[in-house]
């Protein structure tokens, strides 16, 4: 008996199986391009790896080898217009007093080497590097910090070949090198608003077109290298330094003086692919430091966009559990945050003036519906400090470390920092930081206010550090209304 013909259901199932077999048999089963880890390009070759070679087995690239050829020189990737215009294109990436970005900077036995066949065109190394001694006042102390051949040298490719041999071990990615003593490191302001602030401002000059959303083409820093302090002397008493680092670059590694000595004692040459060098002593020789007494001020001679800080701000804000958009706009409810130091024991308002200020701020809340926060930073967790600052439209307080959190405010036309000083006293610390972020700063001497460009000369007068600082609470409240009403934006 002949077999029964297939049913329509069996024919349909067979057709489906054939289609599936055809589809999967001809599809590419390799993982999608976006998920593959591409090999890092060889730093000796600027061209991209050919596609047909991208995923073939290859040696792990740890060495820059030149063999019988001259070693690669330190190279230019970008340049500051009008700054050292005589520099050849085979020298520096960027040179700026105290803040320098190098490609192919060499280290050998603990000494930094700039390799160039044009030594007369290399800026004086005192503007790049120092002995990293503690900062003390006086010309003699300043001279004692200047570098010698034991710290940094400029050598030719011929000398480099004689010293280094046929190659150097690669320190890959982007390194932030801190050539400073621990003197200013363990402090929230000096870490976040000087060191971190200056590093990022310098680095973003390489790609200044950062979007308002904080998007950038720059890869994150791969390591922080401190060649003069150990791993127990970089955290501050408030534990903010480590928060800022881990939030900004979660994968960053940290090396310290023992790691620096490890490489030095090996007697082998190493080469940084890219390194941003920070040197406080060198930065103090800059014109901008003379003007503002801020080491990070020197970095602002470099190209930069209005949104340069947003990648760091956004990462820190998101790490705190908030959207980067928090604090933006000019139509929402403004947030006024007064950071009180009245229990700190140093640099405090006259008690009656503090009480009057709080009273006037609460009047603004009741009259205009503003959100008013009166806080003591020392009694807040790190999370609370960052969250409050991120939402703040106007931050105010006596000159002090609590104002460092202005870094996490969102720059808008209303964003303002109000700082209280003892009359005739002034320091640029938070004023320059505020202005560098694109926000407005006002200083107050009791009832008298001032802002850029009409800033006073820095002066630490008697009473600056005291606990009898006067403030006119009503004048401060009136300025808040003025700023939040956007009077400067009105076209008369």
């Amino acid at each position: 008996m002949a077999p029964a013909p297939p049913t329509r259901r069996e024919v349909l199932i067979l057709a489906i199986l054939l289609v599936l077999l055809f589809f999967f048999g001809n599809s590419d089963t390799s993982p999608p391009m976006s998920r593959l880890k591409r090999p890092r390009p060889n730093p000796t070759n600027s061209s991209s790896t050919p596609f047909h070679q991208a995923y073939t087995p290859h040696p792990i690239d740890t060495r820059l080898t030149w063999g019988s050829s001259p070693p690669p020189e330190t190279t230019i990737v970008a340049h500051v217009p009008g700054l050292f215009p005589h520099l050849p294109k085979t020298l520096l990436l960027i040179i700026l007093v105290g803040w320098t970005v190098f490609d192919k900077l060499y280290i050998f036995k603990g000494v930094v080497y700039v390799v160039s066949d044009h030594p007369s065109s290399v800026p004086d190394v005192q503007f790049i590097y120092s002995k990293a001694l503690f900062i003390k006042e006086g010309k003699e102390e300043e001279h004692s910090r200047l570098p010698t051949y034991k710290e940094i040298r400029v050598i030719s490719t011929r000398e480099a070949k004689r010293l280094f041999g046929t190659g150097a071990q690669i320190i890959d990615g982007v390194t932030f090198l801190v050539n400073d003593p621990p003197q200013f490191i363990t402090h929230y302001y000096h870490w976040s608003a000087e060191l971190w602030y200056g590093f990022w401002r310098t680095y973003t000059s390489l790609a200044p077109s950062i979007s308002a959303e904080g998007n950038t083409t720059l890869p994150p820093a791969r390591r922080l290298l401190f060649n003069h302090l150990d791993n127990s002397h970089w955290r501050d008493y408030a534990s903010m330094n480590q928060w800022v680092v881990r939030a900004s670059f979660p994968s960053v590694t940290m090396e310290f003086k023992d790691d620096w000595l490890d490489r030095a004692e090996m007697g082998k040459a190493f080469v940084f692919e890219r390194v941003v060098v920070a040197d406080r002593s060198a930065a103090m020789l800059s014109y901008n430091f003379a003007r503002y007494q801020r080491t990070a001020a020197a970095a602002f001679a470099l190209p930069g966009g209005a949104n340069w800080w947003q990648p760091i701000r956004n990462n820190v804000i998101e790490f705190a559990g908030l959207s980067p958009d928090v604090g933006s706009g000019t139509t929402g409810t403004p947030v006024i945050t007064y950071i009180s130091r009245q229990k700190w024991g140093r640099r405090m308002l006259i008690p009656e003036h503090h009480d009057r200020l709080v009273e006037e701020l609460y009047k603004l809340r009741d009259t205009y519906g503003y959100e008013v926060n009166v806080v003591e930073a020392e009694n807040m967790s790190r999370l609370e400090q960052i969250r409050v600052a991120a939402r703040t439209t106007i931050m105010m307080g006596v000159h002090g470390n609590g104002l460092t959190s202005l870094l996490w405010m969102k720059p808008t036309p209303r964003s303002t920092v109000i700082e209280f000083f003892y009359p005739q006293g002034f320091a640029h610390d938070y004023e320059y930081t505020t202005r560098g972020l694109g926000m407005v700063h006002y200083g107050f001497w009791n009832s008298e206010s001032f802002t850029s460009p009409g800033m006073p000369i820095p002066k630490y007068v008697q009473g600056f550090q005291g606990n009898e600082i006067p403030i006119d609470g009503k004048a401060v409240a009136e300025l808040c209304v003025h700023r939040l009403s956007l009077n400067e934006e009105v076209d008369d």
Side-chain angles (χ1 to χ4, degrees), residues 347-415:
R347 237 182 283 135
M348 301 189 301
L349 296 177
I350 297 169
E352 294 80 7
H353 288 208
H354 161 79
D355 294 340
R356 177 68 186 278
L357 172 64
V358 173
E359 180 183 337
E360 292 292 337
L361 293 178
Y362 284 149
K363 284 183 182 178
L364 295 182
R365 177 194 63 188
D366 298 339
T367 303
Y368 298 98
Y370 302 156
E371 178 182 333
V372 173
N373 302 302
V374 179
V375 302
E376 297 168 341
E378 65 270 23
N379 293 324
M380 303 172 70
S381 69
R382 295 177 295 180
L383 191 65
E384 290 171 330
Q385 290 184 56
I386 292 170
R387 284 180 171 177
V388 168
R391 298 176 55 251
T392 293
T393 316
I394 296 181
M395 180 179 289
M396 66 179 69
V398 175
H399 173 83
N401 199 24
L403 290 177
T404 304
S405 288
L406 69 88
L407 292 168
W408 319 125
M409 294 170 61
K410 182 79 168 180
T412 72
R414 298 190 301 186
S415 299

Side-chain angles (χ1 to χ4, degrees), residues 84 95-100 123-129 147 282-283 285-286:
F84 304 110
I95 170 65
L96 197 66
V97 180
W99 302 94
T100 315
D124 195 319
V125 292
Q126 68 176 325
F127 299 124
I128 303 171
Y129 211 71
L285 303 176
S286 70

